[in-house]
Amino acid sequence: MRSYTFFERFSRAFHDYPSLSKLIVVSTVSGGGLIAYSEANPADDGVQAVAPPEAGLRKKKVVVLGTGWAGTSFLKNLNHPSYDVQVISPRNYFAFTPLLPSVTCGTVEARSIVEPVRNIVRKKNVDVCFWEAECFKIDEENKKVYCRSNQNSNLNGKKEFSVDYDYLVIAMGARSNTFNTPGVEENCHFLKEVEDAQRIRRTVIDSFEKASLPNLTDEEKNKMLHFVIVGGGPTGVEFAAELHDYVNEDLVNLYPAVKDSVKITLLEAADHILNMFDKRITAFAEDKFQRDGIDVKLGSMVVKVTDKDISTKVRGNGETSSIPYGMVVWSTGIGPHPIIKDFMKQVGQTNRRALATDEWLRVEGCDSIYALGDCATVNQRKVMEDIAAIFSKADKDNSGTLTVKEFEEVIKDICERYPQVELYLKNKKMSGIVDLLKEAKRDVAKEAIELNIEEFKSALSEVDSQMKNLPATAQVAAQQGTYLAKCFNRMEDCEKIPEGPLRFRGSGRHRFQPFRYRHLGQFAPLGGEQTAAQLPGDWISIGHSSQWLWYSVYASKQVSWRTRALVVSDWMRRFIFGRDSSRI
């Protein structure tokens, strides 16, 4: 009894006081050490707890659509007791999507990368309830969302309901973009959800089982075991690498009669795979795939997919060819959900690929609706749109000219409001704003520099060229969720004392600092226990050491200690016993 009581108390301490479990060291079977430091603490978010609202005050109702990276990050960091939070999502769990390629081949089990939403939203001072349903309409005018339960039984026909909100947080993610290519929806696998990964895993095993049947010709075997991946981005490349390792390390030993019939083809419409990575990583990945026998076809655009073959057109000469296949995985980018398209029409954003928000993640034209993650894009305001207002705000003596001293007084606010200014100075290797102004006034001493409006425009004319859209990655979505939650936590205080930059087209200051994405690096697993890492500061690492860094980072970023333990144990199991090839 004493032993049981000790472990029971130990377990309860981990649940009730997550701050006790900040660091875990896992010894791996291969003899190396894996240190996983967690920032996925559901209670300790670095923000001081706030006293509950006074009795009688109505809590603001916050509706969150989606439980992906953005929505979950928002829920984990929201801790102000003045909100009544209602979470609506068609799935009752959060999935660690960067490990989906590992799930397709049994390196990691599906259950190891998911965490129930209700485990995540258990709060002490925030009221959160979850409903498993799908939102099918957003009524911005009446502040309602209309939802439909995805439970098909025992509802007496009452599947649809509406929910009022004071603030709406749209974090619904995106779906795979087929670019209206004929046959893709009907014949291709996608890799966006856990169910997709499980379906791919079953199809791979089925392909080997069918190819092992007697009385099949070599041509039929070659077709069944030809795996085609469309898209040379991180997901497509990682899946190709995982599949290659799965086949050559595990399946060839179980299906020796058909091992010579296996072929993996990667189709990419651009000139290189992993275009968003450094050229050194791109070149290494292409060379490694060539050595591993993965057929990388660059400049190949898919024009049609049937149930038997996939038709491609070579960019440049327009030559077309038809490739028989056993399985196709489509990984070519993302597009908006139908409900997001309908809402974009409602708010006048019909010509966009995603919901446009301002720098505070608020949907343009909507005061109480926020959008984050893959369903949205931040529409960074251009300096040249506000150049006259900036000049007027800086020219305090209304002299019609701007001195260095006057400009230095507002440069901090300019860089906060328009981050492209700071990026431009960095890329041009300028030490400060004085260097930028001296370009407009050459051969003039610093103290004597005075710019009129036209010279000021000329000095900043190229700044907006540094603007780039944020990538649709889990890293961006997680940071946006954390940022928005902290804004909500400080909403009341910042209404009284704004903390943002100057309003150049108005008086006073903005309530909050704008959202700023901080790039922490990216990984590209290439198979064979080799990973390419591109970290801030132009730091590039390729090889086995980067693989251990990948293990450590991905373990630390799990949303709970339960999933962290499961993922690490799956990796250890794979090292000892190999990947499982059972079809369940």
PDB file of all heavy atoms in Angstrom, residues 344-370:
ATOM      1  N   MET A 344     -14.577  34.887 -46.304  1.00  0.00           N
ATOM      2  CA  MET A 344     -13.795  35.886 -47.029  1.00  0.00           C
ATOM      3  C   MET A 344     -14.681  36.696 -47.971  1.00  0.00           C
ATOM      4  O   MET A 344     -14.509  37.913 -48.125  1.00  0.00           O
ATOM      5  CB  MET A 344     -12.657  35.198 -47.794  1.00  0.00           C
ATOM      6  CG  MET A 344     -11.559  34.668 -46.890  1.00  0.00           C
ATOM      7  SD  MET A 344     -10.409  33.535 -47.711  1.00  0.00           S
ATOM      8  CE  MET A 344      -9.591  34.640 -48.846  1.00  0.00           C
ATOM      9  N   LYS A 345     -15.658  36.048 -48.601  1.00  0.00           N
ATOM     10  CA  LYS A 345     -16.611  36.784 -49.432  1.00  0.00           C
ATOM     11  C   LYS A 345     -17.448  37.737 -48.582  1.00  0.00           C
ATOM     12  O   LYS A 345     -17.746  38.853 -48.994  1.00  0.00           O
ATOM     13  CB  LYS A 345     -17.531  35.794 -50.156  1.00  0.00           C
ATOM     14  CG  LYS A 345     -16.841  34.945 -51.208  1.00  0.00           C
ATOM     15  CD  LYS A 345     -17.815  33.954 -51.842  1.00  0.00           C
ATOM     16  CE  LYS A 345     -17.109  33.071 -52.862  1.00  0.00           C
ATOM     17  NZ  LYS A 345     -18.046  32.058 -53.447  1.00  0.00           N
ATOM     18  N   GLN A 346     -17.811  37.274 -47.399  1.00  0.00           N
ATOM     19  CA  GLN A 346     -18.639  38.081 -46.493  1.00  0.00           C
ATOM     20  C   GLN A 346     -17.935  39.368 -46.070  1.00  0.00           C
ATOM     21  O   GLN A 346     -18.578  40.413 -45.918  1.00  0.00           O
ATOM     22  CB  GLN A 346     -18.994  37.228 -45.267  1.00  0.00           C
ATOM     23  CG  GLN A 346     -19.988  37.855 -44.329  1.00  0.00           C
ATOM     24  CD  GLN A 346     -20.263  36.961 -43.128  1.00  0.00           C
ATOM     25  OE1 GLN A 346     -20.503  37.446 -42.021  1.00  0.00           O
ATOM     26  NE2 GLN A 346     -20.215  35.640 -43.327  1.00  0.00           N
ATOM     27  N   VAL A 347     -16.604  39.305 -45.896  1.00  0.00           N
ATOM     28  CA  VAL A 347     -15.856  40.489 -45.432  1.00  0.00           C
ATOM     29  C   VAL A 347     -15.097  41.173 -46.557  1.00  0.00           C
ATOM     30  O   VAL A 347     -14.244  42.030 -46.302  1.00  0.00           O
ATOM     31  CB  VAL A 347     -14.888  40.097 -44.297  1.00  0.00           C
ATOM     32  CG1 VAL A 347     -15.659  39.592 -43.090  1.00  0.00           C
ATOM     33  CG2 VAL A 347     -13.865  39.064 -44.762  1.00  0.00           C
ATOM     34  N   GLY A 348     -15.395  40.805 -47.808  1.00  0.00           N
ATOM     35  CA  GLY A 348     -14.797  41.488 -48.953  1.00  0.00           C
ATOM     36  C   GLY A 348     -13.360  41.139 -49.231  1.00  0.00           C
ATOM     37  O   GLY A 348     -12.583  42.001 -49.656  1.00  0.00           O
ATOM     38  N   GLN A 349     -12.962  39.879 -49.007  1.00  0.00           N
ATOM     39  CA  GLN A 349     -11.591  39.441 -49.289  1.00  0.00           C
ATOM     40  C   GLN A 349     -11.602  38.307 -50.316  1.00  0.00           C
ATOM     41  O   GLN A 349     -10.964  37.273 -50.132  1.00  0.00           O
ATOM     42  CB  GLN A 349     -10.906  38.984 -48.003  1.00  0.00           C
ATOM     43  CG  GLN A 349     -10.724  40.058 -46.962  1.00  0.00           C
ATOM     44  CD  GLN A 349      -9.896  39.587 -45.776  1.00  0.00           C
ATOM     45  OE1 GLN A 349      -9.190  38.577 -45.832  1.00  0.00           O
ATOM     46  NE2 GLN A 349      -9.956  40.323 -44.686  1.00  0.00           N
ATOM     47  N   THR A 350     -12.308  38.517 -51.397  1.00  0.00           N
ATOM     48  CA  THR A 350     -12.525  37.427 -52.358  1.00  0.00           C
ATOM     49  C   THR A 350     -11.286  37.073 -53.164  1.00  0.00           C
ATOM     50  O   THR A 350     -11.185  35.969 -53.688  1.00  0.00           O
ATOM     51  CB  THR A 350     -13.654  37.806 -53.322  1.00  0.00           C
ATOM     52  OG1 THR A 350     -13.357  39.087 -53.918  1.00  0.00           O
ATOM     53  CG2 THR A 350     -14.981  37.905 -52.590  1.00  0.00           C
ATOM     54  N   ASN A 351     -10.334  37.978 -53.300  1.00  0.00           N
ATOM     55  CA  ASN A 351      -9.182  37.736 -54.175  1.00  0.00           C
ATOM     56  C   ASN A 351      -7.954  37.241 -53.413  1.00  0.00           C
ATOM     57  O   ASN A 351      -6.837  37.355 -53.913  1.00  0.00           O
ATOM     58  CB  ASN A 351      -8.827  39.017 -54.933  1.00  0.00           C
ATOM     59  CG  ASN A 351      -9.929  39.447 -55.875  1.00  0.00           C
ATOM     60  OD1 ASN A 351     -10.610  38.604 -56.471  1.00  0.00           O
ATOM     61  ND2 ASN A 351     -10.139  40.750 -56.006  1.00  0.00           N
ATOM     62  N   ARG A 352      -8.134  36.678 -52.251  1.00  0.00           N
ATOM     63  CA  ARG A 352      -7.002  36.226 -51.437  1.00  0.00           C
ATOM     64  C   ARG A 352      -7.017  34.711 -51.273  1.00  0.00           C
ATOM     65  O   ARG A 352      -8.053  34.072 -51.400  1.00  0.00           O
ATOM     66  CB  ARG A 352      -7.032  36.900 -50.062  1.00  0.00           C
ATOM     67  CG  ARG A 352      -6.806  38.405 -50.133  1.00  0.00           C
ATOM     68  CD  ARG A 352      -6.718  38.994 -48.739  1.00  0.00           C
ATOM     69  NE  ARG A 352      -6.389  40.403 -48.774  1.00  0.00           N
ATOM     70  CZ  ARG A 352      -5.143  40.875 -48.829  1.00  0.00           C
ATOM     71  NH1 ARG A 352      -4.131  40.031 -48.849  1.00  0.00           N
ATOM     72  NH2 ARG A 352      -4.912  42.166 -48.856  1.00  0.00           N
ATOM     73  N   ARG A 353      -5.849  34.165 -50.959  1.00  0.00           N
ATOM     74  CA  ARG A 353      -5.724  32.731 -50.706  1.00  0.00           C
ATOM     75  C   ARG A 353      -5.969  32.381 -49.247  1.00  0.00           C
ATOM     76  O   ARG A 353      -6.166  31.216 -48.923  1.00  0.00           O
ATOM     77  CB  ARG A 353      -4.326  32.251 -51.114  1.00  0.00           C
ATOM     78  CG  ARG A 353      -4.048  32.372 -52.605  1.00  0.00           C
ATOM     79  CD  ARG A 353      -2.682  31.825 -52.933  1.00  0.00           C
ATOM     80  NE  ARG A 353      -2.395  31.906 -54.358  1.00  0.00           N
ATOM     81  CZ  ARG A 353      -1.255  31.504 -54.923  1.00  0.00           C
ATOM     82  NH1 ARG A 353      -0.294  30.980 -54.157  1.00  0.00           N
ATOM     83  NH2 ARG A 353      -1.063  31.609 -56.225  1.00  0.00           N
ATOM     84  N   ALA A 354      -5.918  33.380 -48.372  1.00  0.00           N
ATOM     85  CA  ALA A 354      -6.161  33.161 -46.946  1.00  0.00           C
ATOM     86  C   ALA A 354      -6.717  34.445 -46.356  1.00  0.00           C
ATOM     87  O   ALA A 354      -6.643  35.515 -46.968  1.00  0.00           O
ATOM     88  CB  ALA A 354      -4.867  32.753 -46.230  1.00  0.00           C
ATOM     89  N   LEU A 355      -7.297  34.338 -45.175  1.00  0.00           N
ATOM     90  CA  LEU A 355      -7.854  35.508 -44.506  1.00  0.00           C
ATOM     91  C   LEU A 355      -6.754  36.520 -44.208  1.00  0.00           C
ATOM     92  O   LEU A 355      -5.719  36.175 -43.618  1.00  0.00           O
ATOM     93  CB  LEU A 355      -8.516  35.095 -43.199  1.00  0.00           C
ATOM     94  CG  LEU A 355      -9.999  34.749 -43.228  1.00  0.00           C
ATOM     95  CD1 LEU A 355     -10.420  34.185 -41.875  1.00  0.00           C
ATOM     96  CD2 LEU A 355     -10.831  35.972 -43.576  1.00  0.00           C
ATOM     97  N   ALA A 356      -6.968  37.750 -44.594  1.00  0.00           N
ATOM     98  CA  ALA A 356      -5.983  38.802 -44.331  1.00  0.00           C
ATOM     99  C   ALA A 356      -6.244  39.411 -42.958  1.00  0.00           C
ATOM    100  O   ALA A 356      -7.376  39.784 -42.628  1.00  0.00           O
ATOM    101  CB  ALA A 356      -6.054  39.877 -45.408  1.00  0.00           C
ATOM    102  N   THR A 357      -5.197  39.504 -42.156  1.00  0.00           N
ATOM    103  CA  THR A 357      -5.290  40.138 -40.845  1.00  0.00           C
ATOM    104  C   THR A 357      -4.304  41.303 -40.771  1.00  0.00           C
ATOM    105  O   THR A 357      -3.381  41.396 -41.586  1.00  0.00           O
ATOM    106  CB  THR A 357      -4.971  39.148 -39.717  1.00  0.00           C
ATOM    107  OG1 THR A 357      -3.552  38.870 -39.711  1.00  0.00           O
ATOM    108  CG2 THR A 357      -5.738  37.850 -39.892  1.00  0.00           C
ATOM    109  N   ASP A 358      -4.506  42.160 -39.784  1.00  0.00           N
ATOM    110  CA  ASP A 358      -3.510  43.196 -39.538  1.00  0.00           C
ATOM    111  C   ASP A 358      -2.384  42.616 -38.689  1.00  0.00           C
ATOM    112  O   ASP A 358      -2.350  41.416 -38.416  1.00  0.00           O
ATOM    113  CB  ASP A 358      -4.142  44.427 -38.894  1.00  0.00           C
ATOM    114  CG  ASP A 358      -4.808  44.120 -37.548  1.00  0.00           C
ATOM    115  OD1 ASP A 358      -4.477  43.076 -36.943  1.00  0.00           O
ATOM    116  OD2 ASP A 358      -5.656  44.915 -37.106  1.00  0.00           O
ATOM    117  N   GLU A 359      -1.478  43.471 -38.251  1.00  0.00           N
ATOM    118  CA  GLU A 359      -0.308  42.985 -37.508  1.00  0.00           C
ATOM    119  C   GLU A 359      -0.653  42.528 -36.101  1.00  0.00           C
ATOM    120  O   GLU A 359       0.193  41.992 -35.393  1.00  0.00           O
ATOM    121  CB  GLU A 359       0.762  44.083 -37.443  1.00  0.00           C
ATOM    122  CG  GLU A 359       1.326  44.487 -38.795  1.00  0.00           C
ATOM    123  CD  GLU A 359       0.534  45.628 -39.444  1.00  0.00           C
ATOM    124  OE1 GLU A 359      -0.671  45.738 -39.158  1.00  0.00           O
ATOM    125  OE2 GLU A 359       1.125  46.393 -40.218  1.00  0.00           O
ATOM    126  N   TRP A 360      -1.910  42.747 -35.691  1.00  0.00           N
ATOM    127  CA  TRP A 360      -2.374  42.295 -34.379  1.00  0.00           C
ATOM    128  C   TRP A 360      -3.264  41.055 -34.514  1.00  0.00           C
ATOM    129  O   TRP A 360      -3.990  40.704 -33.598  1.00  0.00           O
ATOM    130  CB  TRP A 360      -3.109  43.420 -33.668  1.00  0.00           C
ATOM    131  CG  TRP A 360      -2.185  44.558 -33.338  1.00  0.00           C
ATOM    132  CD1 TRP A 360      -1.481  44.729 -32.191  1.00  0.00           C
ATOM    133  CD2 TRP A 360      -1.836  45.673 -34.185  1.00  0.00           C
ATOM    134  NE1 TRP A 360      -0.722  45.878 -32.259  1.00  0.00           N
ATOM    135  CE2 TRP A 360      -0.914  46.485 -33.482  1.00  0.00           C
ATOM    136  CE3 TRP A 360      -2.202  46.075 -35.469  1.00  0.00           C
ATOM    137  CZ2 TRP A 360      -0.368  47.641 -33.999  1.00  0.00           C
ATOM    138  CZ3 TRP A 360      -1.654  47.239 -35.996  1.00  0.00           C
ATOM    139  CH2 TRP A 360      -0.750  48.007 -35.276  1.00  0.00           C
ATOM    140  N   LEU A 361      -3.225  40.420 -35.699  1.00  0.00           N
ATOM    141  CA  LEU A 361      -3.946  39.181 -36.018  1.00  0.00           C
ATOM    142  C   LEU A 361      -5.456  39.364 -36.042  1.00  0.00           C
ATOM    143  O   LEU A 361      -6.214  38.389 -35.970  1.00  0.00           O
ATOM    144  CB  LEU A 361      -3.569  38.056 -35.035  1.00  0.00           C
ATOM    145  CG  LEU A 361      -2.069  37.786 -34.856  1.00  0.00           C
ATOM    146  CD1 LEU A 361      -1.851  36.595 -33.940  1.00  0.00           C
ATOM    147  CD2 LEU A 361      -1.379  37.581 -36.193  1.00  0.00           C
ATOM    148  N   ARG A 362      -5.907  40.584 -36.169  1.00  0.00           N
ATOM    149  CA  ARG A 362      -7.331  40.872 -36.270  1.00  0.00           C
ATOM    150  C   ARG A 362      -7.725  40.893 -37.740  1.00  0.00           C
ATOM    151  O   ARG A 362      -7.061  41.533 -38.560  1.00  0.00           O
ATOM    152  CB  ARG A 362      -7.632  42.209 -35.609  1.00  0.00           C
ATOM    153  CG  ARG A 362      -9.088  42.594 -35.509  1.00  0.00           C
ATOM    154  CD  ARG A 362      -9.216  43.853 -34.679  1.00  0.00           C
ATOM    155  NE  ARG A 362      -8.266  44.857 -35.156  1.00  0.00           N
ATOM    156  CZ  ARG A 362      -7.904  45.924 -34.447  1.00  0.00           C
ATOM    157  NH1 ARG A 362      -8.375  46.093 -33.233  1.00  0.00           N
ATOM    158  NH2 ARG A 362      -7.058  46.798 -34.943  1.00  0.00           N
ATOM    159  N   VAL A 363      -8.809  40.170 -38.079  1.00  0.00           N
ATOM    160  CA  VAL A 363      -9.249  40.118 -39.478  1.00  0.00           C
ATOM    161  C   VAL A 363      -9.577  41.531 -39.964  1.00  0.00           C
ATOM    162  O   VAL A 363     -10.287  42.280 -39.284  1.00  0.00           O
ATOM    163  CB  VAL A 363     -10.487  39.202 -39.619  1.00  0.00           C
ATOM    164  CG1 VAL A 363     -11.033  39.244 -41.045  1.00  0.00           C
ATOM    165  CG2 VAL A 363     -10.136  37.775 -39.236  1.00  0.00           C
ATOM    166  N   GLU A 364      -9.045  41.888 -41.111  1.00  0.00           N
ATOM    167  CA  GLU A 364      -9.257  43.232 -41.634  1.00  0.00           C
ATOM    168  C   GLU A 364     -10.748  43.503 -41.846  1.00  0.00           C
ATOM    169  O   GLU A 364     -11.433  42.739 -42.513  1.00  0.00           O
ATOM    170  CB  GLU A 364      -8.489  43.416 -42.941  1.00  0.00           C
ATOM    171  CG  GLU A 364      -6.980  43.425 -42.745  1.00  0.00           C
ATOM    172  CD  GLU A 364      -6.225  43.723 -44.025  1.00  0.00           C
ATOM    173  OE1 GLU A 364      -6.840  43.654 -45.114  1.00  0.00           O
ATOM    174  OE2 GLU A 364      -5.022  44.030 -43.960  1.00  0.00           O
ATOM    175  N   GLY A 365     -11.207  44.595 -41.252  1.00  0.00           N
ATOM    176  CA  GLY A 365     -12.610  44.963 -41.356  1.00  0.00           C
ATOM    177  C   GLY A 365     -13.486  44.404 -40.250  1.00  0.00           C
ATOM    178  O   GLY A 365     -14.684  44.663 -40.236  1.00  0.00           O
ATOM    179  N   CYS A 366     -12.895  43.647 -39.311  1.00  0.00           N
ATOM    180  CA  CYS A 366     -13.666  43.039 -38.211  1.00  0.00           C
ATOM    181  C   CYS A 366     -12.978  43.370 -36.889  1.00  0.00           C
ATOM    182  O   CYS A 366     -11.821  43.010 -36.686  1.00  0.00           O
ATOM    183  CB  CYS A 366     -13.767  41.528 -38.385  1.00  0.00           C
ATOM    184  SG  CYS A 366     -14.476  40.990 -39.955  1.00  0.00           S
ATOM    185  N   ASP A 367     -13.686  44.017 -35.992  1.00  0.00           N
ATOM    186  CA  ASP A 367     -13.084  44.444 -34.730  1.00  0.00           C
ATOM    187  C   ASP A 367     -12.921  43.314 -33.725  1.00  0.00           C
ATOM    188  O   ASP A 367     -12.024  43.354 -32.879  1.00  0.00           O
ATOM    189  CB  ASP A 367     -13.936  45.556 -34.093  1.00  0.00           C
ATOM    190  CG  ASP A 367     -13.857  46.856 -34.882  1.00  0.00           C
ATOM    191  OD1 ASP A 367     -12.831  47.049 -35.568  1.00  0.00           O
ATOM    192  OD2 ASP A 367     -14.808  47.657 -34.818  1.00  0.00           O
ATOM    193  N   SER A 368     -13.784  42.307 -33.785  1.00  0.00           N
ATOM    194  CA  SER A 368     -13.801  41.296 -32.729  1.00  0.00           C
ATOM    195  C   SER A 368     -13.474  39.890 -33.235  1.00  0.00           C
ATOM    196  O   SER A 368     -13.718  38.910 -32.539  1.00  0.00           O
ATOM    197  CB  SER A 368     -15.168  41.282 -32.039  1.00  0.00           C
ATOM    198  OG  SER A 368     -16.188  41.051 -32.986  1.00  0.00           O
ATOM    199  N   ILE A 369     -12.931  39.776 -34.456  1.00  0.00           N
ATOM    200  CA  ILE A 369     -12.592  38.465 -35.025  1.00  0.00           C
ATOM    201  C   ILE A 369     -11.092  38.412 -35.307  1.00  0.00           C
ATOM    202  O   ILE A 369     -10.538  39.301 -35.976  1.00  0.00           O
ATOM    203  CB  ILE A 369     -13.384  38.181 -36.311  1.00  0.00           C
ATOM    204  CG1 ILE A 369     -14.887  38.210 -36.024  1.00  0.00           C
ATOM    205  CG2 ILE A 369     -12.990  36.839 -36.897  1.00  0.00           C
ATOM    206  CD1 ILE A 369     -15.744  37.949 -37.234  1.00  0.00           C
ATOM    207  N   TYR A 370     -10.466  37.376 -34.811  1.00  0.00           N
ATOM    208  CA  TYR A 370      -9.035  37.168 -35.018  1.00  0.00           C
ATOM    209  C   TYR A 370      -8.830  35.865 -35.799  1.00  0.00           C
ATOM    210  O   TYR A 370      -9.605  34.913 -35.653  1.00  0.00           O
ATOM    211  CB  TYR A 370      -8.298  37.096 -33.680  1.00  0.00           C
ATOM    212  CG  TYR A 370      -8.390  38.373 -32.866  1.00  0.00           C
ATOM    213  CD1 TYR A 370      -9.513  38.638 -32.089  1.00  0.00           C
ATOM    214  CD2 TYR A 370      -7.373  39.316 -32.882  1.00  0.00           C
ATOM    215  CE1 TYR A 370      -9.615  39.811 -31.342  1.00  0.00           C
ATOM    216  CE2 TYR A 370      -7.461  40.487 -32.144  1.00  0.00           C
ATOM    217  CZ  TYR A 370      -8.581  40.727 -31.383  1.00  0.00           C
ATOM    218  OH  TYR A 370      -8.675  41.885 -30.659  1.00  0.00           O
TER     219      TYR A 370
END
